[in-house]
Amino acid sequence: QSALTQPRSVSGSLGQSVTISCTGTSSDVGGYNYVSWYQQQPGKAPELMIYDVSKWPSGVPDRFSGSKSGNTASLTISGLQAEDEADYYCCSQAVGYVVFGGGTKLTVL
Amino acid sequence: QVQLQESGPGLVKPSETLSLTCTVSAYSISSGYHWGWIRQPPGKGLEWIASISHSGSTYYKPSLKSRVTISLDTSKNQFSLKLTSVTAADTAVYYCARDLGGGTSDYWGQGTLVTVSS
């Protein structure tokens, strides 16, 4: 039941793309197509950005995209905008429970 | 628009029981989905605690299972969390959320800070 592994921080320039990785095991990320990604602005509740590895909730721009290969899931944000600066968390179904990643702080330069 | 609102004491003494309630509006919790609790210690990441299905099946984080109980009150359209024997490590913002399944939480409460201190 260890947390999924994410880089503590990533950065990118306005208009560029960044990718955030989320590494788990065959008992969580690798074993289910139930990976979701959340954006959290300071002092706010998390917001769902991607679910079921690569699906978009209504209202989320398609600049955000998700993928998975083996035990690692990824969130890619293209065309970076200033408002994308936030903390990002991955989340996966595991065997009988749910596990989050440790979170990644995205800085937009 | 589905809305969730956490309520409960903001201060709990060590060794006592933390009790929180989530009131859901614009959706009947008995109609479907799962309903869950997630917490976030100050300055730290999100931690999934537990969830309950609309039919009452429960799921717990293994390391917390011995201390946690999640329950539904369909008559009030609420679900609740109880965490026993709390310590300072349980100090966190506690969020309730609607879980579509597999940890996909599409609606969240605003969160409530619970501090464990004597």
Side-chain angles (χ1 to χ4, degrees), chain A residues 1 34-36 38 40 43-48 50-52 89 91-93 95-103, chain B residues 38 40 44-48 51 58-64 95 99-106 108-111:
Chain A
Q1 56 177 302
Y34 290 125
V35 176
S36 49
Y38 299 88
Q40 188 179 34
K44 301 289 188 182
E47 179 184 357
L48 180 66
I50 294 287
Y51 70 100
D52 292 358
Y89 294 89
C91 177
S92 174
Q93 176 71 58
V95 183
Y97 62 99
V98 169
V99 61
F100 279 96
Chain B
I38 299 106
Q40 185 171 36
K44 296 187 177 181
L46 300 171
E47 179 184 23
W48 183 86
S51 68
T58 57
Y59 307 87
Y60 296 106
K61 179 174 181 174
S63 61
L64 295 173
Y95 295 100
D99 185 340
L100 303 181
T104 299
S105 295
D106 60 344
W108 294 66
Q110 66 184 23

Side-chain angles (χ1 to χ4, degrees), chain A residues 25-46:
Chain A
T25 69
S26 58
S27 296
D28 39 61
V29 174
Y32 303 89
N33 285 324
Y34 290 125
V35 176
S36 49
W37 289 89
Y38 299 88
Q39 178 193 72
Q40 188 179 34
Q41 300 288 358
K44 301 289 188 182

Side-chain angles (χ1 to χ4, degrees), chain B residues 31-116:
Chain B
S31 294
Y33 301 125
H34 289 62
W35 305 90
W37 290 95
I38 299 106
R39 69 181 180 180
Q40 185 171 36
K44 296 187 177 181
L46 300 171
E47 179 184 23
W48 183 86
I49 302 170
S51 68
I52 185 166
S53 72
H54 68 283
S55 59
S57 297
T58 57
Y59 307 87
Y60 296 106
K61 179 174 181 174
S63 61
L64 295 173
K65 187 174 183 178
S66 63
R67 298 197 291 133
V68 175
T69 302
I70 189 171
S71 59
L72 290 176
D73 185 341
T74 55
S75 66
K76 296 181 180 178
N77 216 38
Q78 296 174 336
F79 61 103
S80 298
L81 176 76
K82 291 189 186 302
L83 179 64
T84 63
S85 304
V86 297
T87 69
D90 296 309
T91 294
V93 174
Y94 284 76
Y95 295 100
C96 59
R98 187 177 81 167
D99 185 340
L100 303 181
T104 299
S105 295
D106 60 344
Y107 289 99
W108 294 66
Q110 66 184 23
T112 187
L113 175 62
V114 179
T115 301
V116 178

